Amino acid sequence: MTANVGRVSTISQLDRTPENIGPGCEFVWLDEVGSTQDEAKSRAPLAEDTLVRGIAARYQTNGRGTHGRDWLGAPGNLFLTVSLPITRVPVTLTLLPLKVGIEVARAVEGLLDEAPKQPDSPCGKVTLKWPNDVLLDDKKLAGVLIEGDGTYLHVGIGINVGAAPDIPDDGPQRGRPSAWLADCGVDASQGLVQGLGKAITVALGSWVAPGKETCGPTQEAALISEWSRRVDWSTELTLRDEPGTRFLPVRLEPDGQLRVRDLNGLERLLLAEYLF
């Protein structure tokens, strides 16, 4: 799905009432929130006829990333959580982060295609990094955090639209340098940020909609194939919790684990480790 996210209608930033943005899809825009993840959990359960609900904010004061790390952001970026029932996810749950990454990449590519070209600062190579990052020209543009409560999965998505946080290169918060869409000529207006959140919410709602033949090994294989096409398999990766340990990615396994090879030729499987 490639949506024209820059032209989606918006609602008042102070309106906490869900807006219907598509079949079974709700969206709420907030001015400020501690965490969209916590806000989404506090609003459960979803109505019977609601497939997904997106909660987005202009700014969040207490965002978090994977393994309890901070999610650094600034006003002008997208802070979004999409809640969906666990029973509606049409693939093995370990593949969900990969699907979310694909949808974020598609939406970002649509924005870059529409943005004015920047001859002095060319941008545009969007890739995926296992398990939950979207990269722009090899810098981190977006991340995904998925939390469950037994009934719902709350898919947290952060995208750098108007600003790029400074990421430390050492210490527990160290990571890959960051990128932001405005640096590539993308309009960072609030309307565009809201539209981006809506487009991703609708894409996930369409994916979990009943009546679609999206389950089974064939569909999971197609998901893995598309994700794999979006990866730069030649890029060396480092385990954040094992400084100095470098790998080359080899392939994605059917259950979503990543097979990697170290510089001595030894292979291992990664399940939920953080790479940068």
Side-chain angles (χ1 to χ4, degrees):
M1 174 181 176
T2 301
N4 185 353
V5 299
R7 297 185 177 90
V8 181
S9 63
T10 64
I11 59 175
S12 166
Q13 65 177 1
L14 299 178
D15 190 353
R16 298 173 63 89
T17 303
E19 177 189 11
N20 187 342
I21 59 172
C25 300
E26 293 182 348
F27 185 81
V28 178
W29 175 260
L30 303 172
D31 182 62
E32 184 177 303
V33 69
S35 160
T36 58
Q37 291 287 89
D38 295 339
E39 181 72 20
K41 293 174 184 178
S42 73
R43 288 172 173 256
L46 302 181
E48 185 175 346
D49 59 351
T50 300
L51 297 171
V52 299
R53 177 189 293 143
I55 304 283
R58 183 189 65 85
Y59 182 55
Q60 66 175 6
T61 59
N62 193 30
R64 58 183 178 271
T66 55
H67 302 289
R69 295 180 173 93
D70 297 335
W71 178 262
L72 305 176
N77 293 339
L78 176 64
F79 309 98
L80 170 70
T81 295
V82 181
S83 300
L84 57 149
I86 293 175
T87 55
R88 290 196 180 276
V89 176
V91 295
T92 303
L93 291 182
T94 52
L95 299 180
L96 178 58
L98 312 180
K99 173 62 176 176
V100 176
I102 289 171
E103 293 300 344
V104 172
R106 288 174 177 173
V108 165
E109 288 169 341
L111 291 176
L112 291 171
D113 287 344
E114 293 183 355
K117 302 307 177 187
Q118 304 288 306
D120 297 331
S121 180
C123 296
K125 185 180 180 183
V126 179
T127 56
L128 297 175
K129 182 179 71 65
W130 186 91
N132 56 10
D133 287 347
V134 179
L135 308 182
L136 177 60
D137 296 329
D138 209 35
K139 296 180 179 180
K140 183 168 179 175
L141 177 72
V144 176
L145 171 68
I146 300 176
E147 298 175 326
D149 61 13
T151 302
Y152 298 98
L153 292 170
H154 304 285
V155 181
I157 301 167
I159 305 177
N160 298 329
V161 181
D166 292 326
I167 305 300
D169 57 11
D170 58 12
Q173 301 291 340
R174 69 186 182 278
R176 182 181 292 264
S178 57
W180 70 107
L181 290 175
D183 191 45
C184 297
V186 172
D187 169 30
S189 67
Q190 182 171 287
L192 181 134
V193 174
Q194 287 186 4
L196 178 58
K198 290 179 180 182
I200 294 170
T201 300
V202 169
L204 292 176
S206 176
W207 182 56
V208 302
K212 291 194 173 184
E213 296 182 1
T214 55
C215 301
T218 300
Q219 290 74 19
E220 292 188 346
L223 190 160
I224 289 172
S225 177
E226 179 173 359
W227 188 91
S228 298
R229 289 195 302 271
R230 292 176 173 273
V231 173
D232 183 353
W233 294 96
S234 66
T235 299
E236 274 191 6
L237 302 171
T238 301
L239 276 172
R240 179 155 58 185
D241 295 332
E242 296 180 24
T245 304
R246 294 180 294 167
F247 298 97
L248 279 173
V250 176
R251 67 174 178 272
L252 194 65
E253 299 293 320
D255 61 357
Q257 293 186 85
L258 182 69
R259 182 173 294 277
V260 296
R261 181 182 298 119
D262 67 22
L263 301 188
N264 295 318
L266 299 177
E267 294 189 0
R268 62 189 278 191
L269 286 174
L270 304 181
L271 177 60
E273 291 84 349
Y274 187 91
L275 296 163
F276 66 94

